[in-house]
Amino acid sequence: GYVDNSDDCDDLDPSSYPGGAEVCDSADNNCDNSIDEGVQTTFYSDADGDGYGATASPVEGCVLPPGASVNDSDCDDSNPSISPLALELCDGVDNNCGGGIDEGALDASDWYVDADGDGFGATGTPIASCSQPSGTADNDGDCNDDVATGSSIHPNAPELCNTTDDDCDGLIDE
């Protein structure tokens, strides 16, 4: 029961001895006069309680403290509806902490290219945007969006006797 040194910092704890493995237990397991060094986790304040913390004021610890998070992904820790898992909305705010404002917004409107400027967009893939992009229309009813000839051909145009479907109803000269 004796040894030739007095280096053990806690002779009553068999897991604490010089060179021992440090573990998160509020004890000096390796007898170097430091407690839980190198084994603590960094936690971040989660002021809004959404599960995502902010980079300001990180704290080290062995257990997640109340009001903290294991990540620092929250871009607005004062608003619980803003976090990396939030849906992006057309509101001028980066809801999902993606680095952009209103990108891929859930409530974005569909806009269609209106090359001939007649107020009717061409059938095709819509452009989702929170505000109307230049050169687009909010509908896809134009059957001829050609800049040179299409401006007089659209769903509200009068049908003329000219062998063309002027009103985009699928019929010619009706």
Side-chain angles (χ1 to χ4, degrees):
Y2 292 90
V3 294
D4 64 359
N5 66 63
S6 61
D7 295 338
D8 197 336
C9 55
D10 187 351
D11 203 32
L12 298 177
D13 181 0
S15 67
S16 293
Y17 54 89
E22 192 69 44
V23 294
C24 251
D25 62 357
S26 299
D28 182 11
N29 306 105
N30 57 8
C31 297
D32 67 354
N33 295 320
S34 296
I35 296 175
D36 298 337
E37 75 280 357
V39 294
Q40 294 183 13
T41 302
T42 302
F43 299 107
Y44 303 91
S45 173
D46 181 15
D48 60 11
D50 63 2
Y52 295 90
T55 57
S57 305
V59 295
E60 297 286 320
C62 293
V63 197
L64 179 66
S69 172
V70 295
N71 66 64
D72 63 349
S73 305
D74 204 337
C75 57
D76 183 349
D77 203 32
S78 66
N79 187 338
S81 66
I82 296 175
S83 74
L85 286 183
L87 298 174
E88 192 66 40
L89 301 172
C90 289
D91 58 3
V93 174
D94 182 11
N95 305 97
N96 63 5
C97 298
I101 294 175
D102 299 341
E103 83 285 354
L106 181 65
D107 57 346
S109 298
D110 287 339
W111 304 95
Y112 300 87
V113 174
D114 181 17
D116 60 12
D118 62 7
F120 296 90
T123 301
T125 305
I127 300 165
S129 179
C130 293
S131 58
Q132 184 174 6
S134 178
T136 63
D138 63 358
N139 63 73
D140 66 345
D142 203 339
C143 59
N144 183 340
D145 203 40
D146 183 59
V147 175
T149 61
S151 63
S152 63
I153 300 172
H154 53 77
N156 286 350
E159 185 66 43
L160 304 174
C161 190
N162 60 1
T163 66
T164 300
D165 180 12
D166 299 296
D167 62 2
C168 298
D169 66 357
L171 304 172
I172 297 175
D173 298 340
E174 75 275 5

